[in-house]
Amino acid sequence: QVQLVESGGGLVQPGGSLRLSCAASGSIASINAMGWYRQAPGELRELVAAITSGESTNYADSVKGRFTISRDNGENTVYLQMNSLKPEDTAVYYCNAVVVSSYDITATYEYWGQGTQVTVSS
C-alpha cells in the first residue's frame, strides 16, 4: 500500500504565498507522475499542476505564472509553491500519484491524499 501525506495548507491573505508538500511512502518501485488537484465547494475537482518522472510539467491556465510544481524524486515528495494567491484559489488541495508497485513492476496504481485546506481571505 502507498500513503500520501500532505502539509502546508492554511489561511493566507490575497497576494500571499503558501507552499504545499506531499510525501509518498509505502511499497513504491517508482512514481511515474505526481500532481495537485483542488476542489472548491460545489465545484468539480480540477487539475492544478502535475509533474512526471521526466520532469515534464502541466498547469491549469488559472495558475500559470503564479504556481510552481517541483519534485524530489529521492524522497518521493512533490511541492507546490503558490504565489500571488487569490480568493478564487480557496479550495481543498489533493495530492495525487501514479505509482509502480514494488511487488509487481508491471502494475501501476493511482493514489490520493486526504486533502489540505487552502483559504485565501482578507
Side-chain angles (χ1 to χ4, degrees):
Q1 299 295 321
V2 173
Q3 294 179 333
L4 304 179
V5 180
E6 301 130 324
S7 62
L11 175 65
V12 65
Q13 293 184 335
S17 298
L18 286 173
R19 189 191 191 210
L20 305 183
S21 299
C22 174
S25 62
S27 302
I28 300 171
S30 62
I31 299 179
N32 289 343
M34 299 186 77
W36 291 94
Y37 292 71
R38 67 186 181 188
Q39 187 168 23
E43 303 290 338
L44 297 174
R45 187 174 298 185
E46 64 174 349
L47 173 70
V48 178
I51 186 167
T52 69
S53 60
E55 299 188 13
S56 176
T57 59
N58 188 36
Y59 296 92
D61 288 342
S62 60
V63 306
K64 286 182 179 177
R66 299 189 297 120
F67 292 8
T68 302
I69 190 168
S70 60
R71 180 176 175 179
D72 183 338
N73 292 326
E75 298 294 330
N76 291 329
T77 300
V78 66
Y79 305 94
L80 185 67
Q81 179 66 47
M82 304 185 294
N83 298 325
S84 301
L85 283 162
K86 305 175 181 179
E88 306 94 277
D89 297 317
T90 297
V92 177
Y93 284 69
Y94 296 91
C95 181
N96 171 269
V98 178
V99 176
V100 177
S101 172
S102 61
Y103 293 101
D104 185 356
I105 303 301
T106 67
T108 61
Y109 301 90
E110 187 174 27
Y111 293 91
W112 293 90
Q114 293 183 331
T116 184
Q117 178 71 47
V118 172
T119 302
V120 184
S121 176
S122 60

